[in-house]
Amino acid sequence: MSKDLSVKMEQKRVDEVVQEINIREEKLLSKAGGLKESIIDLRKNFWEDVTVNLDEPDDVIETQASLKQQAELLAERERSHGEIGKELKILKRLKESPYFGRIDFTESPGNEKEQIYVGIASLMDHNEEDFLIYDWRAPISSLYYDFSPGEAFYETSFGTITGEITLKRQYIIRQSKIKGMFDTGVTIVDGLLQAALGNNASTTMKSIVATIQKEQNKIIRNEHSKLLVVQGVAGSGKTSAVLQRIAYLLYRFRGSLNSDNLLLFSPNPLFSSYIANVLPELGETNISQTTFLDFLRNGIEKNITIESPFEQMEYMLTCSDGERLTSRKQNMILKSSIDFKFILDDYITSLFSSGIQFRNITFQNRILVSKERISDYFYSLEDIHSIPNRMEYVAKWLLKELRFHQDKEKKKDWVMDHIELLDKEAYLKAYYENQLVDEDDFSLEEDILRAEVIKKQFAPIRKKVKNFAFVHTLASYKKLFEKKQTKDELWKTISELTLENISNRFLTWEDATAYRYFRGKLVGDKENRGVRHLFIDEAQDYTAFQYAYIKEIFPFTRMTLLGDINQAIYTYASRENPLVPDFIEGNHERILLTKSYRSTKQIVEFTKKFAPGGEMIEPFEREGDPPHIMLLEDASKFSGAFMDTINKLQEKKFETIAIICKTLEESNKVYTLLEDKFDIKQINEDTYSFEKGIVVLPVYLAKGIEFDAVIIPDASSDQYYQESDRTLFYTACTRAMHSLTVFSDHNPCIFLQEALN
């Protein structure tokens, strides 16, 4: 059959599928319109349709039942309307591009060939008998990603289905028209992937279901591993694959798993925004996303300042005080390790018998319950109970004590002054309560008003007690560094630094996890059993201590860790290579992604020469310009050459141009240089999204994001001068999709020299 005839036949099928989508769309729109009218009518007449009678107890019960029934009916109609809305969005996307792949499969034994078309969602014919399109997550669709024409198989809940693939075809369909069509083998390359990778970078990550590779498909469809570790080189699609994995899990376990059961730790707020569109594109609700910093903050007192990992990085890269920098490195190394957890555990054990610090319970600058009394009561309890359980007993005891003090305070003169400040509702409440007892007893009304004043005044104290604010956790943590007497100079140095920070109510990033862990051991830090799947991006930047804490908080949760040890920029925290934590027992799998798809072949070949593990990186065959290396002998020519480079990149219609600096300090200087000459935006730690155009940012905020063109403004040996800078420089260069320009003076850094040799 000629190619033209084949395309015509395939286009005819696309037209038939689109026609079916239009019919379904019309039916849904009609149904949605009816539901909308029904919802409006229900809301308008809600109370008219409810039987309200409060005269007798039986009538009250009947009224409650009537209210519940009407509310449930309204909620069900609204839910149905929402589902139709979701389905209409999917149909709209299917109409634009119904599918991207086809396989002809003959199941064994037998000779009946089935044509399987793969798209972003399933679609059945009008009789609901045959699939016109199979969802890419369906078991049978795995054939498309995993096999070349020939013998093949796929897994179902009923067992393994074997057979033969006689055709594997890919499509590029835009606006319901076939723009490209070709037959292919197992790897989805050439036309479809080349076209996808050749486009300009987007300000948001896109779905990759049409271009999933076999090794990525292993990540996506893994259902059994307690721990899945993905080591992927820069641009290997590991983050994209894990987002498709989330969509797959939500599809595969739709009856028992929902978006609330999944949690993603992302590296920064900007990245969270960058990936926010992927799941909705696939018809799924976004799962919970947070940074590990925000996760820790939620369990630490609000009046304590916590250093962010980016502030830690900036400090390490810019501190000019050699002695203080050495102390800080030592602090980071110890507190990032499992050894420090053992030190804390020993200290916590000692607190069973003595040492926990408490706060006075005060009211109007008077001590109601002293910290000494609280301590005595706590340590009078049997130590067979855990510390958090004993704190629960203390909280109950304190609430009783507060009730005693409330009764005493209620009779005092100051209360009358506050009665005048009560709102109207309080007076009405007192009046009606008085009417129920004795309408002529005004002293009773006063007593009720006094009680209302006391209740309001003591409410903040009771709340603090319930939140265990009577435990002085920070002072208790501080005692560890005051108490431990040793001749070890290293411990003395770390203790001095820690005590100085605590006196300022400040926790370094390496202290934050340790403190949250310690606080949990005193007042409780509940295991999160609602999260059944945890996904950690940039996993190489987590410390051994952090992983130990995560394991404790999520003891039964399946985890997917994805990262790249070549991009381990938090050098001092990464010595124990926590990307593959050895403390997690049970079923686990490690998948290695070595092919880089983001950058052109020329950029990948350039960066792999100085990558820490460069020998394992494979470039994808996408040609482009080699990196531009600008070695300027005369520093006065830098400004002109720099601006000329930006102008040329803009002329090439690159939509995202990133100037990636080593530090925020350098980023500020570059921004100041260019802000009057270009429409440029600066990205910092508080940036939650970025737009197309020119941006300047430090490298540690660029992780996980890609740009059409990247400029490194200073790759000299003065800027990248130590071995620990290797991963920073590699990370910066590998953000480029199509163009990379590197500036340096006559003395380039060792990494640039390695690339040029």
Side-chain angles (χ1 to χ4, degrees):
M1 186 186 298
S2 70
K3 186 173 181 181
D4 288 345
L5 181 59
S6 181
V7 171
K8 283 182 180 179
M9 291 178 66
E10 289 282 13
Q11 183 60 56
K12 183 184 177 187
R13 186 185 190 278
V14 170
D15 295 340
E16 290 170 353
V17 170
V18 170
Q19 186 178 358
E20 186 65 42
I21 292 170
N22 286 332
I23 293 170
R24 185 160 301 197
E25 212 171 29
E26 286 178 19
K27 289 180 180 177
L28 283 172
L29 284 168
S30 175
K31 190 176 179 182
L35 271 173
K36 187 175 181 181
E37 288 179 13
S38 174
I39 291 167
I40 292 169
D41 188 56
L42 272 169
R43 286 174 177 169
K44 192 184 295 181
N45 303 311
F46 187 94
W47 291 105
E48 292 178 16
D49 296 335
V50 173
T51 305
V52 179
N53 193 337
L54 304 177
D55 293 338
E56 300 292 336
D58 288 346
D59 295 331
V60 172
I61 293 170
E62 185 181 337
T63 297
Q64 288 175 336
S66 182
L67 276 167
K68 184 181 178 186
Q69 184 180 19
Q70 196 73 353
E72 285 176 350
L73 179 61
L74 179 59
E76 179 56 38
R77 298 278 167 86
E78 289 175 336
R79 191 159 46 246
S80 298
H81 191 266
E83 289 299 319
I84 288 173
K86 283 173 64 177
E87 194 171 343
L88 283 168
K89 285 180 182 177
I90 292 171
L91 288 175
K92 184 179 179 181
R93 291 200 65 216
L94 284 177
K95 191 156 55 173
E96 163 73 17
S97 180
Y99 40 82
F100 50 80
R102 164 188 165 185
I103 48 173
D104 292 357
F105 182 67
T106 305
E107 189 177 320
S108 300
N111 53 17
E112 186 177 340
K113 180 173 67 177
E114 183 181 1
Q115 292 181 349
I116 298 158
Y117 288 83
V118 182
I120 63 156
S122 294
L123 180 72
M124 299 192 79
D125 63 14
H126 60 278
N127 295 320
E128 297 290 321
E129 292 177 355
D130 297 315
F131 279 95
L132 298 175
I133 307 168
Y134 281 92
D135 191 297
W136 65 277
R137 296 165 290 188
I140 199 169
S141 299
S142 65
L143 293 168
Y144 175 73
Y145 298 111
D146 289 343
F147 294 98
S148 304
E151 291 185 2
F153 64 89
Y154 66 98
E155 302 292 341
T156 73
S157 55
F158 305 106
T160 303
I161 308 297
T162 60
E164 182 185 7
I165 296 174
T166 54
L167 176 73
K168 183 172 180 179
R169 181 168 289 170
Q170 294 173 239
Y171 308 90
I172 300 174
I173 303 175
R174 300 289 182 267
Q175 296 179 320
S176 308
K177 300 297 179 186
I178 295 177
K179 303 296 183 183
M181 184 184 89
F182 36 88
D183 297 343
T184 186
V186 64
T187 52
I188 302 168
V189 292
D190 302 324
L192 191 59
L193 190 51
Q194 290 278 11
L197 296 173
N199 293 330
N200 280 334
S202 170
T203 54
T204 55
M205 184 179 282
K206 301 298 182 184
S207 162
I208 62 160
V209 293
T211 57
I212 291 168
Q213 304 295 286
K214 183 177 181 179
E215 64 273 18
Q216 293 169 331
N217 199 42
K218 282 179 66 180
I219 298 166
I220 293 165
R221 293 176 186 265
N222 183 297
E223 297 178 12
H224 309 294
S225 299
K226 170 77 173 174
L227 170 67
L228 179 62
V229 179
V230 181
Q231 157 61 39
V233 302
S236 57
K238 53 188 177 292
T239 303
S240 296
V242 88
L243 290 169
Q244 319 303 311
R245 170 169 170 72
I246 291 167
Y248 172 78
L249 291 170
L250 290 170
Y251 171 88
R252 173 71 177 80
F253 301 102
R254 190 165 294 281
S256 58
L257 195 71
N258 60 54
S259 57
D260 294 332
N261 302 134
L262 289 81
L263 174 64
L264 170 66
F265 283 158
S266 59
N268 54 59
L270 179 64
F271 182 80
S272 297
S273 167
Y274 181 64
I275 65 173
N277 284 346
V278 176
L279 289 172
E281 275 188 11
L282 297 170
E284 300 293 350
T285 305
N286 265 325
I287 66 169
S288 297
Q289 291 181 50
T290 185
T291 62
F292 191 57
L293 170 62
D294 285 340
F295 179 79
L296 291 178
R297 274 180 175 152
N298 285 335
I300 293 175
E301 299 92 318
K302 304 301 180 193
N303 59 356
I304 296 176
T305 302
I306 304 172
E307 179 187 51
S308 74
F310 314 113
E311 289 168 335
Q312 181 200 65
M313 170 64 71
E314 190 71 19
Y315 180 89
M316 297 305 296
L317 294 175
T318 59
C319 179
S320 56
D321 185 333
E323 185 177 339
R324 197 163 180 81
L325 185 63
T326 300
S327 299
R328 185 65 194 275
K329 286 179 184 178
Q330 293 168 337
N331 195 55
M332 289 170 66
I333 291 169
L334 175 64
K335 291 177 180 173
S336 299
S337 70
I338 292 294
D339 288 342
F340 188 60
K341 181 177 179 294
F342 295 152
I343 291 171
L344 274 180
D345 287 339
D346 287 343
Y347 177 53
I348 291 162
T349 300
S350 75
L351 295 177
F352 270 74
S353 54
S354 66
I356 297 177
Q357 304 298 299
F358 294 94
R359 287 191 174 93
N360 295 322
I361 305 291
T362 61
F363 178 69
Q364 294 182 345
N365 298 319
R366 288 178 284 124
I367 296 175
L368 300 182
V369 187
S370 71
K371 57 188 176 183
E372 291 80 11
R373 272 192 72 199
I374 299 173
S375 179
D376 289 343
Y377 185 84
F378 175 85
Y379 283 112
S380 72
L381 298 169
E382 293 184 50
D383 60 9
I384 57 171
H385 300 292
S386 69
I387 292 176
N389 281 348
R390 289 155 78 186
M391 291 301 178
E392 292 276 1
Y393 289 124
V394 174
K396 289 177 182 176
W397 169 70
L398 284 172
L399 291 172
K400 285 181 183 177
E401 288 287 307
L402 286 176
R403 280 196 290 273
F404 167 75
H405 285 286
Q406 284 178 240
D407 289 339
K408 282 178 62 178
E409 293 294 323
K410 190 171 73 170
K411 299 166 185 173
K412 294 186 177 180
D413 293 341
W414 67 265
V415 180
M416 284 303 294
D417 297 333
H418 283 72
I419 286 177
E420 297 173 9
L421 303 175
L422 287 174
D423 53 29
K424 182 181 176 183
E425 285 75 14
Y427 277 93
L428 285 171
K429 178 185 174 186
Y431 173 77
Y432 284 120
E433 286 184 14
N434 190 30
Q435 292 293 304
L436 291 171
V437 182
D438 186 345
E439 60 184 69
D440 296 323
D441 189 353
F442 294 106
S443 64
L444 179 60
E445 187 173 333
E446 181 188 314
D447 193 59
I448 293 169
L449 290 170
R450 281 178 173 271
E452 194 66 25
V453 168
I454 291 298
K455 181 181 174 184
K456 284 180 179 276
Q457 292 289 315
F458 272 75
I461 305 173
R462 298 181 71 85
K463 184 179 179 181
K464 286 181 179 179
V465 168
K466 289 175 183 177
N467 291 331
F468 305 107
F470 58 87
V471 185
H472 202 329
T473 313
L474 192 62
S476 301
Y477 185 70
K478 181 182 178 184
K479 279 286 180 184
L480 167 64
F481 303 95
E482 293 174 333
K483 174 183 177 183
K484 191 170 179 180
Q485 300 299 319
T486 177
K487 294 181 180 179
D488 185 344
E489 289 300 321
L490 174 61
W491 179 260
K492 286 181 179 178
T493 300
I494 289 171
S495 293
E496 287 172 6
L497 179 63
T498 307
L499 291 171
E500 179 187 336
N501 288 327
I502 289 176
S503 66
N504 294 316
R505 303 192 67 79
F506 174 76
L507 295 175
T508 63
W509 177 236
E510 61 268 25
D511 267 299
T513 306
Y515 182 74
R516 168 85 188 252
Y517 171 77
F518 177 76
R519 190 171 192 273
K521 292 298 181 182
L522 293 195
V523 300
D525 201 351
K526 292 179 181 177
E527 296 174 354
N528 197 326
R529 295 171 185 259
V531 175
R532 291 168 55 190
H533 284 269
L534 176 66
F535 305 88
I536 301 179
D537 204 356
E538 302 297 347
Q540 75 282 348
D541 291 335
Y542 285 70
T543 69
F545 194 122
Q546 287 170 342
Y547 275 118
Y549 174 68
I550 288 168
K551 183 193 174 189
E552 182 147 327
I553 293 297
F554 302 100
F556 305 106
T557 301
R558 294 179 182 273
M559 296 188 196
T560 302
L561 313 183
L562 51 149
D564 179 13
I565 53 174
N566 294 331
Q567 298 180 66
I569 62 174
Y570 298 98
T571 311
Y572 305 104
S574 306
R575 288 191 168 194
E576 297 182 41
N577 188 15
L579 181 58
V580 189
D582 56 7
F583 56 79
I584 296 183
E585 301 171 353
N587 185 21
H588 68 279
E589 185 175 347
R590 298 170 187 173
I591 295 176
L592 187 64
L593 301 178
T594 58
K595 184 166 285 190
S596 179
Y597 298 99
R598 174 187 297 134
S599 307
T600 62
K601 181 181 178 181
Q602 286 74 14
I603 292 174
V604 174
E605 292 288 4
F606 172 81
T607 55
K608 69 181 288 187
K609 289 179 181 177
F610 56 84
E615 67 282 350
M616 60 186 263
I617 302 171
E618 305 170 59
F620 177 69
E621 294 294 329
R622 181 167 68 87
E623 299 295 329
D625 295 329
H628 303 281
I629 312 303
M630 308 285 285
L631 301 179
L632 303 176
E633 295 286 338
D634 187 349
S636 63
K637 294 181 179 179
F638 170 78
S639 180
F642 198 69
M643 286 183 274
D644 185 52
T645 296
I646 295 174
N647 285 323
K648 286 179 179 177
L649 292 172
Q650 288 182 315
E651 287 169 8
K652 290 183 177 181
K653 305 299 182 186
F654 288 137
E655 295 180 350
T656 55
I657 301 169
I659 303 164
I660 301 181
C661 305
K662 182 182 177 184
T663 64
L664 183 63
E665 190 177 273
E666 183 192 3
S667 175
N668 290 335
K669 290 177 182 176
V670 171
Y671 179 76
T672 302
L673 174 68
L674 300 175
E675 63 177 327
D676 295 332
K677 301 169 182 68
F678 295 96
D679 182 10
I680 185 171
K681 295 179 178 64
Q682 187 172 20
I683 290 176
N684 57 38
E685 192 180 340
D686 297 322
T687 304
Y688 281 76
S689 63
F690 75 92
E691 303 165 8
K692 292 179 180 179
I694 307 168
V695 296
V696 57
L697 70 167
V699 60
Y700 46 80
L701 291 179
K703 299 190 74 171
I705 303 174
E706 59 192 24
F707 306 91
D708 292 326
V710 166
I711 302 171
I712 310 295
D714 184 2
S716 69
S717 57
D718 288 335
Q719 186 72 304
Y720 294 91
Y721 54 88
Q722 53 191 355
E723 181 56 33
S724 58
D725 291 335
R726 183 180 294 274
T727 52
L728 283 169
F729 189 65
Y730 172 76
T731 301
C733 292
T734 54
R735 302 306 95 201
M737 288 181 66
H738 310 297
S739 173
L740 174 63
T741 305
V742 182
F743 282 86
S744 176
D745 59 17
H746 63 282
N747 191 15
C749 67
I750 184 65
F751 319 124
L752 188 52
Q753 292 179 41
E754 289 172 10
L756 294 173
N757 290 336

